[in-house]
Amino acid sequence: MTSRYRYFWRRFMHINFNYKLVPHIKLNKTQQNGTLPCTVGFSVLTLLGFEKKMNAEDELILTIKHCILFVQRGEFDKAEQLLHVALKQAQQISHQLGVTYIYDVMANLALEREQYDKAKRLFIAVTQRIMADGATEDDLRVIHISVKLARISHMMKEYSTAQLGFEWCIDKLNNAYKKDPSEDNTKLLAMAEDWYGRLFLDNNKTEIAYQYMKKAYERMKDLVDIDQEHLIIQLNDLGTVCDLLGKADESIEYYSNAIDLGKKFPDMHDLGAMYVNLGRAYIKKNMLDIARKSCGQAWKLGVTTKNNDVKREAELCIQEIRGMS
């Protein structure tokens, strides 16, 4: 997976305070300026081999590269406008693979902007185009898009449809993984499992959610080409799920690991939130001295990073500890 497609991985992921966790967590603007958000794991278009079939100097590829750059910068309106220019260019030269590529980028941009109906229509169009070109339902490109469509169904609260979609995808991906446990197959399977777990979380089936989310993390953590900040978010969210399950020790372990890894990133905007989560976990264990230190560190980070949410939550945490002392 090339760096250009990394923004396709962490969409809907964000460090939250533990009692506010929801399965469709949004990435904040600060993170968008650093390691970029992403909606879909690796892009289906790396599998299409688009760039291998196009000249690097071609006007169309240059236009598309500018589109991707705008998306990475969070300049979505500019990206949208330029994508329509690129689409017109591709249609004028009858470059069908280019048209498919642009539809896919448009679909991911729509998903990034939470325009779910539009994203759904575009992903279906991409699927139809690659299947017309010979792909079958077992093709990883088709399965990949199907995972996204299941996620969109979840976001649209079409839970039964989402569950059927995820089950179909995960069954197909498990078969593919057994035949070829490549890094790309592992990432796509882990993404499907993580999102499926969040569907269960949204339906108050927390134990099942934990099993899928944990399985996804275990697959991801040993991969070479993996975004470490994504792992931090996974660890934090696993801590939150354990907190919901009343597994205080496991929760503390996940939060602590997330913080240890997060310290390696000076611009990690949400480190303060993780400290609050850890402090609250220690409160439940009645380990008030350690809880006070954790919430105090969160407060300092809230002040230095000018994150008023973290500062406020840290102050509430400290007040709670004072009331218990």
Side-chain angles (χ1 to χ4, degrees):
M1 182 176 62
T2 62
S3 61
R4 191 169 344 160
Y5 299 107
R6 288 184 187 278
Y7 75 92
F8 285 124
W9 177 243
R10 285 193 292 117
R11 182 68 175 117
F12 307 114
M13 307 289 284
H14 173 53
I15 302 299
N16 270 278
F17 303 110
N18 56 11
Y19 61 92
K20 293 182 180 177
L21 178 107
V22 291
H24 46 286
I25 308 166
K26 299 178 182 178
L27 200 69
N28 62 42
K29 296 297 182 183
T30 301
Q31 285 177 295
Q32 289 179 9
N33 294 329
T35 300
L36 298 162
C38 88
T39 55
V40 298
F42 57 96
S43 172
V44 65
L45 295 162
T46 61
L47 301 179
L48 283 172
F50 176 73
E51 288 185 277
K52 294 180 181 178
K53 297 183 180 181
M54 293 196 69
N55 191 302
E57 283 73 39
D58 187 40
E59 183 180 352
L60 176 59
I61 190 75
L62 291 176
T63 303
I64 294 172
K65 285 181 177 180
H66 281 101
C67 294
I68 298 296
L69 184 61
F70 282 134
V71 174
Q72 291 177 332
R73 290 175 176 174
E75 298 179 45
F76 299 144
D77 288 337
K78 291 182 180 179
E80 184 84 36
Q81 293 170 5
L82 198 55
L83 279 168
H84 286 286
V85 173
L87 181 60
K88 186 175 181 179
Q89 289 176 339
Q91 290 170 336
Q92 286 175 340
I93 62 175
S94 298
H95 200 302
Q96 298 306 313
L97 190 57
V99 172
T100 303
Y101 186 107
I102 294 162
Y103 279 160
D104 187 74
V105 177
M106 284 180 165
N108 284 293
L109 179 57
L111 183 54
E112 179 74 22
R113 304 182 84 173
E114 301 180 8
Q115 299 169 344
Y116 299 127
D117 284 325
K118 181 178 180 180
K120 183 177 180 179
R121 289 195 304 271
L122 286 165
F123 280 134
I124 289 173
V126 174
T127 304
Q128 290 172 337
R129 292 179 67 85
I130 62 176
M131 292 189 78
D133 201 34
T136 66
E137 68 174 23
D138 291 323
D139 192 301
L140 280 180
R141 295 169 296 177
V142 174
I143 300 170
H144 185 173
I145 294 174
S146 297
V147 174
K148 304 172 194 177
L149 289 170
R151 180 62 173 174
I152 289 170
S153 293
H154 178 190
M155 294 296 95
M156 297 176 73
K157 302 187 184 302
E158 298 170 354
Y159 297 134
S160 297
T161 302
Q163 183 168 357
L164 288 172
F166 280 126
E167 288 176 353
W168 184 86
C169 292
I170 289 173
D171 180 63
K172 295 287 187 182
L173 288 168
N174 272 316
N175 290 333
Y177 178 79
K178 290 175 184 177
K179 294 177 184 177
D180 178 22
S182 65
E183 183 155 314
D184 279 347
N185 285 351
T186 303
K187 286 177 182 176
L188 185 52
L189 177 56
M191 181 182 70
E193 289 172 335
D194 183 71
W195 282 354
Y196 193 30
R198 292 169 190 274
L199 174 65
F200 282 114
L201 192 61
D202 214 17
N203 285 275
N204 299 315
K205 297 180 180 180
T206 312
E207 183 61 48
I208 301 175
Y210 173 65
Q211 295 303 323
Y212 275 101
M213 292 171 68
K214 182 180 179 182
K215 189 184 297 184
Y217 170 74
E218 292 297 330
R219 291 190 194 280
M220 296 297 295
K221 68 177 184 179
D222 295 324
L223 293 177
V224 176
D225 184 21
I226 182 61
D227 181 351
Q228 292 295 300
E229 291 186 66
H230 174 75
L231 294 181
I232 295 169
I233 292 166
Q234 281 189 304
L235 284 166
N236 177 83
D237 288 354
L238 282 167
T240 298
V241 175
C242 284
D243 180 82
L244 293 172
L245 290 169
K247 299 179 179 180
D249 291 333
E250 291 92 333
S251 179
I252 288 170
E253 182 177 358
Y254 280 124
Y255 287 142
S256 298
N257 289 339
I259 289 170
D260 288 342
L261 190 55
K263 288 177 181 177
K264 299 177 182 179
F265 298 88
D267 297 327
M268 188 72 192
H269 182 269
D270 292 312
L271 190 61
M274 289 186 280
Y275 272 109
V276 171
N277 289 345
L278 180 60
R280 291 187 182 281
Y282 276 124
I283 289 174
K284 291 187 176 182
K285 292 279 290 182
N286 203 34
M287 300 172 68
L288 301 186
D289 288 339
I290 302 178
R292 187 180 294 106
K293 291 179 181 178
S294 184
C295 292
Q297 182 63 26
W299 186 86
K300 291 178 183 178
L301 287 170
V303 172
T304 56
T305 61
K306 298 182 180 179
N307 188 325
N308 291 328
D309 288 337
V310 168
K311 184 173 174 288
R312 180 174 60 254
E313 294 297 333
E315 288 170 349
L316 291 173
C317 182
I318 293 169
Q319 289 174 13
E320 184 177 352
I321 293 168
R322 287 172 180 169
M324 297 173 65
S325 300

